[in-house]
Amino acid sequence: DMISYAVLIFTLSYADDTGAVIVQTAPGKVVTHRGGTITLPCRYHHEPETADPSRIRIKWTKVTDTFQFADVFVALGRQQRVFGPYRGRVALEQAGPGDASVVIHNVTLQDYGRYECEVTNDMEDDTGFVSLDLEGVVFPYYPRLGRYKLNYHEAEEACKQQDAILASHSQLHKAWLEGLDWCNAGWLEDGSVQYPISHPRDQCGRKETPAGVRNYGYRHKEDERYDAFCFTSKLNGQVYFLKRFKKVNYPEALKACQRDGSAVAKVGQLFAAWRFQLLDRCEAGWVEDGSIRYPIVNPRARCGGSEPGVRNLGFPDKKFRLYGVYCFRKNLGSAEAQTTQAPVRTTAKFANSTGSI
């Protein structure tokens, strides 16, 4: 996943008579997947070239949509410090003089977003921005409680519980371009509420309105309730359907996966397995939140519709012994294993009916 940006350079400069620091960063986005290794490119030079390297301060910060800043990394000469969840995963690339790039190892879902590279020399400073994108999959989510039951914070937690994060607008827009069609509005990570429509119809905001991502704008995070749009990426493990002679209820499903050295798969893990492992199974099974689902890559008769997708049969009584179970087993040494694996690309579209994704 190491990407060279020797040609694509975007320059921001603030020059004056005292000499200026000029920072250069890559335009567009750098792209990896969960578990991958990625370089956030940033270079600097001085005009005139008179700087003492030991007095150069390099600072990386993550910037949210609401312009909140989280410290990632800072270096002054040979002194370096890494902050919070980035500890043990972030280091300077050190590819020669003027290189302020950092390398992030074992990328997490939470690493997605926009980063600021700031270089300071005494009183002079300059900044550049790099966007880190992840290959992944967006899925709509609602809990056993039903539709439109989650405020923003509950939606955020619901995605986290299913091995995912709240999707960004750009992630949802990309999913819509790939065919995601969903008639219920859900929270996104910036606090807005949106939903993607590929096939306009009267029950989804009038048939005459064009296809697109419909936007309710920013809603009250505590008082208003919607579904959630979650985003997940490549797995550090494997999802599989547990072959058994007998169907199981939910408590039996938990024990069956446990006995097999696994855990019941979370919803996000099942979607990631569908997208990246091309998991295709026409058998309904329990997943961790108590819903019944199954992943279809190659649509066929009696497998729930003509489009690929993860079918959702809802939340039955947990005592029903009518289903199999999907289990998730972590990779041994998954952090190391994932940095060497190339992401699998698939052009599979989403199911286009509200009941089948």
Side-chain angles (χ1 to χ4, degrees):
D1 284 319
M2 293 296 191
I3 300 173
S4 169
Y5 286 92
V7 182
L8 297 172
I9 295 294
F10 174 64
T11 303
L12 298 168
S13 67
Y14 300 90
D16 60 30
D17 295 337
T18 62
V21 178
I22 297 174
V23 166
Q24 302 166 311
T25 52
K29 296 177 177 180
V30 295
V31 184
T32 185
H33 55 80
R34 174 165 51 181
T37 296
I38 192 73
T39 297
L40 302 186
C42 180
R43 297 193 61 79
Y44 65 92
H45 66 275
H46 303 87
E47 293 183 354
E49 296 284 354
T50 55
D52 175 359
S54 66
R55 300 180 71 167
I56 297 291
R57 179 174 174 265
I58 297 167
K59 184 177 183 185
W60 281 89
T61 310
K62 190 174 183 195
V63 190
T64 69
D65 283 344
T66 51
F67 290 99
Q68 293 177 312
F69 297 85
D71 291 337
V72 175
F73 174 91
V74 66
L76 180 60
R78 295 190 175 193
Q79 293 179 298
Q80 299 184 9
R81 186 176 174 194
V82 186
F83 296 88
Y86 297 95
R87 283 190 192 124
R89 299 192 298 119
V90 172
L92 275 179
E93 186 178 47
Q94 294 182 312
D99 185 20
S101 308
V102 287
V103 181
I104 306 179
H105 297 278
N106 194 22
V107 169
T108 69
L109 294 175
Q110 289 74 21
D111 292 343
Y112 170 86
R114 193 164 181 248
Y115 292 81
E116 179 186 76
C117 172
E118 179 185 37
V119 180
T120 307
N121 176 25
D122 294 329
M123 298 302 290
E124 298 297 325
D125 71 336
D126 191 16
T127 58
F129 292 92
V130 182
S131 292
L132 172 58
D133 199 4
L134 298 181
E135 292 180 329
V137 56
V138 172
F139 61 95
Y141 187 77
Y142 62 93
R144 178 178 284 275
L145 291 168
R147 301 279 194 183
Y148 291 0
K149 300 290 186 186
L150 304 171
N151 69 21
Y152 174 83
H153 307 290
E154 290 162 346
E156 198 173 35
E157 183 60 26
C159 289
K160 188 178 169 186
Q161 292 295 326
Q162 298 310 317
D163 192 45
I165 56 173
L166 276 176
S168 69
H169 170 74
S170 66
Q171 287 167 339
L172 184 64
H173 186 263
K174 185 171 179 242
W176 169 72
L177 290 174
E178 293 172 355
L180 180 58
D181 184 278
W182 196 251
C183 209
N184 294 82
W187 292 102
L188 298 182
E189 56 92 23
D190 63 358
S192 67
V193 172
Q194 305 185 30
Y195 65 103
I197 294 295
S198 297
H199 307 282
R201 49 208 184 273
D202 285 337
Q203 61 269 43
C204 295
R206 294 201 311 280
K207 198 172 181 178
E208 308 80 52
T209 49
V213 178
R214 311 273 168 82
N215 193 341
Y216 287 4
Y218 298 102
R219 314 308 297 180
H220 195 287
K221 288 185 174 181
E222 278 79 29
D223 294 350
E224 297 194 53
R225 295 180 181 275
Y226 300 93
D227 294 346
F229 284 102
C230 306
F231 173 86
T232 194
S233 184
K234 191 175 180 184
L235 291 167
N236 297 324
Q238 193 85 15
V239 173
Y240 60 98
F241 185 80
L242 186 63
K243 291 176 181 173
R244 293 176 56 87
F245 296 112
K246 292 182 179 176
K247 302 292 188 187
V248 291
N249 63 25
Y250 184 76
E252 290 166 344
L254 293 175
K255 287 176 188 167
C257 288
Q258 213 169 11
R259 276 196 299 270
D260 207 44
S262 305
V264 176
K266 296 174 184 290
V267 176
Q269 290 167 340
L270 188 61
F271 270 92
W274 168 71
R275 171 58 65 94
F276 290 106
Q277 295 172 15
L278 303 184
L279 184 64
D280 184 293
R281 191 90 193 197
C282 194
E283 294 185 72
W286 293 101
V287 290
E288 191 270 346
D289 68 342
S291 62
I292 301 296
R293 302 178 191 247
Y294 61 100
I296 297 295
V297 175
N298 301 306
R300 49 214 182 268
R302 292 181 293 186
C303 287
S306 60
E307 296 286 336
V310 175
R311 319 292 191 223
N312 181 5
L313 303 184
F315 295 86
D317 189 315
K318 287 185 174 181
K319 298 188 190 75
F320 286 169
R321 283 193 182 89
L322 298 175
Y323 309 101
V325 58
Y326 287 92
C327 304
F328 171 72
R329 182 182 288 125
K330 282 184 183 173
N331 286 342
L332 290 172
S334 57
E336 293 79 10
Q338 284 303 105
T339 61
T340 58
Q341 290 177 10
V344 177
R345 294 182 187 275
T346 171
T347 56
K349 288 189 175 180
F350 289 81
N352 67 0
S353 70
T354 55
S356 61
I357 189 166

